[in-house]
Amino acid sequence: MSNQRSLGDRIRELRGSIYTQQELADRAGLSVVLIRKLEQGARQTTSVASLHKIARALDVTLADLLVPVSIPEHDQDQGVTALRHAVSLSTPPKDDPATIQEARFVEIATWRTYWSGQHDDAVRALPERIRRLESGLAASADADRPVYVHSLSRVLWAAARTLTVLRHPDAAHIAAQRAISLSTELNDPVMTASVTGSLAWQLMVSGRYEESRDLSVSTAVAIEPGRTHTTPQMSVYGSLLLQAGNAQARAGNAVAAKHFLDEAREIAAKVPDGQCHHSSIFGPSSIAMQHTDIAINLGEFGDALTASKTMPGGSSALPILSKCRHDTDRALVYLRTGDKDRAVALLSATAAAVPFWFKNQRLPKSIVRDLLHTPASKSPQLRNLARALNVH
């Protein structure tokens, strides 16, 4: 896969599910035809003045718009730098190896931290965990090797997702590829498929929608349930269908997006809600969450509002990170459908529940900025959110 990204790719990636092309054009004070031509590659650049307008509308600097994020040699955030180095390590360390008991349990602690939204804690803990698991794997006896391989694969997988959230896609890609490679040693196609689905998610977040869909579909086909199947197989298969649907929605293909969503809904009806298999959360709650997200990406906010109300049990089956991501989507829906007070309340609750994640997401900033131009701007809660996010 090429790492060369066009200006249009970058605009589409930053726009994501926050704005439609028309909404971005309106915010920037430019023609939607220009935005469309840039994203489609019909135009490779535009005037510096227009580039500044697009960057301001997307809440990024001009440099961020023109130059995709890469791995710098030096970074003030030593924790992220250490994590990037850990996932890129070519020579396994030989000191202080994790014991077999530690290897069995460290993956559980790592994923618990990830799903709780405490990504700052994850960044601090992951480099040492990866180093000690690498050392343990290098020194392990043949009988113990599968335990270390399993744990290291899953910890690298969590690192990949954490790095994606923090917008370090190159390092995230390295971590995901290493996790996939290790998982193939275990002869567990369902686990490998689930890790591969995470790579498809990374591609989608980076704006590479067709690649994300193709990888999701090909991976799903490889583990498609037959006459005999397991619940983990059904869960991972359904998650991959949802991933394909979300990628299609972001690409603007409503028919394909809804097709994948309907297929996933049929699978979800056969799976207990909220179970986590190979770190894939799937079931009716996931359907409600992703249906809402897909409708938002298609600009169908009425459908998104309806979908959000189908969430079973007030989203209690979802981990806290997924619940807060869904509540942020709901806040956007309420903003667009006129219930500003409810949007503010949802954002305030999310900020309190997962403060680090909240401050590192573009969508809450965009919603708060728009709310500041409504009568809700006088709300003390909204003012607190604006200060926390440094939004004016």
Side-chain angles (χ1 to χ4, degrees), residues 182-245:
L182 281 166
S183 73
T184 59
E185 284 194 40
L186 300 171
N187 194 28
D188 186 344
V190 175
M191 177 178 168
T192 300
S194 192
V195 185
T196 305
S198 188
L199 180 58
W201 172 67
Q202 290 177 32
L203 290 170
M204 183 188 73
V205 170
S206 297
R208 297 159 69 171
Y209 304 132
E210 300 308 316
E211 292 174 81
S212 175
R213 177 208 59 195
D214 291 347
L215 183 58
S216 298
V217 171
S218 63
T219 305
V221 168
I223 62 161
E224 185 171 4
R227 182 173 299 176
T228 60
H229 54 264
T230 65
T231 298
Q233 182 183 7
M234 297 278 279
S235 294
V236 175
Y237 179 73
S239 296
L240 288 164
L241 294 178
L242 282 179
Q243 177 62 60

Side-chain angles (χ1 to χ4, degrees), residues 128-174:
E128 177 72 2
R129 288 175 177 176
I130 292 170
R131 186 187 66 78
R132 295 191 65 214
L133 285 171
E134 290 271 18
S135 182
L137 176 61
S140 64
D142 289 346
D144 294 335
R145 182 176 176 84
V147 175
Y148 285 101
V149 168
H150 184 274
S151 184
L152 181 58
S153 175
R154 288 179 54 81
V155 170
L156 284 167
W157 176 9
R161 291 190 69 100
T162 301
L163 286 162
T164 301
V165 169
L166 297 177
R167 295 194 289 279
H168 292 267
D170 291 347
H173 185 82
I174 292 169

